[in-house]
Amino acid sequence: MAEDKTHFGFREVAAEDKAKLVKNVFDSVANKYDVMNDLMSMGIHRIWKRIALQLSHVRYGEKVLDLAGGTGDMTLLFQKRVGDAGQVVLSDINAAMLSRGRDRLLDQGISGNVQYAQIDAEKLPFADNQFDCVCIAFGLRNVTHKEEALRSIFNVLKPGGRAIILEFSEVQGSLLKKTYDFYSFKFLPLMGKLVANDAESYRYLAESIRMHPNQETLKQMMATAGFERCEYFNLTHGVVAVHRGYKL
């Protein structure tokens, strides 16, 4: 693929166009995002996120960047861990998603240790060595230049800091893979049409998962970006995986 091309789902598009196409997807689904997450995963996404929290080893007083944080699920978990002495920055490139996340947290009375930023994961506007943990949950597959995002994450982490990447990955087992493919390409778009009035965005979701680097590939990409002690943990037979790497 030429350097100025990338994938938007199964389609090959100009790299400069992908961010706009992804924006359109999340502008469309923002209002139904949380409902659809619960329906699509039958609520299991909440368990995946709690496991990612545990693997992050975030402690009281630390500073966390929640990249592509959307409606704030991970921020809600992190802000309880860091307490009043810590800080969580909820960030997203999409204004509609970030606005829903901010409203949700404020409605729950959460304000003191959470800040908000509309930012691009490929070009983080922070000085080096700022965060104890950077988490990106279900967002990396939508990034155009994943290598740039990983390097940017590495730069803003403090020495000893951790990157946590929670993302859909490669399902393990041929029988489960066939079942998962049927669910993804037949059931998800139908559910998207019925609940969110948007089948195409959920068809893109299924396609983007298949185009995302698998577990071993992403692990190597993290190592190339400078991370050490890189490892991953398959959840639900590889439907998702948590990758962790350290800046030492």
Side-chain angles (χ1 to χ4, degrees):
M1 188 173 4
E3 288 185 359
D4 60 346
K5 295 288 187 179
T6 189
H7 284 105
F8 175 74
F10 290 159
R11 291 165 50 196
E12 185 178 89
V13 299
E16 63 184 13
D17 293 338
K18 180 169 179 175
K20 181 179 180 181
L21 292 168
V22 172
K23 177 182 182 298
N24 291 340
V25 167
F26 285 95
D27 282 347
S28 175
V29 304
N31 288 335
K32 297 289 186 179
Y33 185 79
D34 292 321
V35 172
M36 282 296 294
N37 274 355
D38 281 330
L39 289 173
M40 288 187 301
S41 72
M42 293 172 285
I44 298 174
H45 75 98
R46 299 176 184 274
I47 298 173
W48 295 334
K49 289 168 182 172
R50 289 188 178 277
I51 293 172
L53 173 72
Q54 296 298 327
L55 291 170
S56 74
H57 295 162
V58 165
R59 300 183 298 273
Y60 180 81
E62 290 194 324
K63 187 173 181 180
V64 178
L65 173 61
D66 182 11
L67 269 180
T71 57
D73 277 359
M74 291 304 301
T75 292
L76 278 166
L77 296 174
F78 282 127
Q79 64 87 27
K80 294 175 183 176
R81 283 290 184 95
V82 302
D84 294 338
Q87 182 186 76
V88 182
V89 178
L90 171 57
S91 68
D92 204 290
I93 195 171
N94 184 277
M97 293 290 289
L98 186 61
S99 178
R100 283 196 62 83
R102 180 176 180 273
D103 290 347
R104 180 185 177 198
L105 268 64
L106 290 176
D107 286 347
Q108 295 189 36
I110 297 167
S111 59
N113 61 351
V114 177
Q115 295 184 344
Y116 304 89
Q118 185 178 355
I119 56 178
D120 184 345
E122 296 179 23
K123 305 177 183 66
L124 298 179
F126 304 105
D128 291 353
N129 308 316
Q130 291 294 302
F131 295 94
D132 298 288
C133 179
V134 178
C135 174
I136 180 167
F138 302 114
L140 186 62
R141 73 181 185 283
N142 298 312
V143 173
T144 304
H145 303 103
K146 295 174 180 61
E147 297 86 352
E148 292 184 20
L150 291 171
R151 285 194 294 269
S152 193
I153 291 169
F154 182 84
N155 290 338
V156 302
L157 279 170
K158 298 176 183 178
R162 296 83 65 199
I164 294 291
I165 302 170
L166 172 62
E167 189 55 90
F168 292 106
S169 202
E170 187 174 75
V171 173
Q172 308 298 297
S174 58
L175 180 60
L176 180 58
K177 185 177 185 300
K178 290 178 182 178
T179 304
Y180 184 56
D181 284 347
F182 177 83
Y183 174 81
S184 299
F185 292 107
K186 299 296 184 182
F187 190 68
L188 284 189
L190 176 61
M191 190 187 303
K193 180 179 180 180
L194 294 174
V195 178
N197 195 30
D198 185 351
E200 285 304 312
S201 291
Y202 288 92
R203 186 169 291 110
Y204 161 73
L205 168 64
E207 294 177 358
S208 69
I209 291 169
R210 273 56 179 193
M211 300 307 297
H212 185 67
N214 66 16
Q215 289 91 325
E216 286 292 335
T217 303
L218 181 54
K219 179 182 174 182
Q220 183 56 52
M221 289 170 66
M222 293 178 71
T224 301
F227 290 99
E228 298 187 48
R229 293 168 54 192
C230 299
E231 57 189 334
Y232 62 85
F233 306 84
N234 281 330
L235 308 179
T236 317
H237 301 285
V239 171
V240 303
V242 180
H243 281 72
R244 181 172 65 192
Y246 293 82
K247 180 177 181 178
L248 300 179

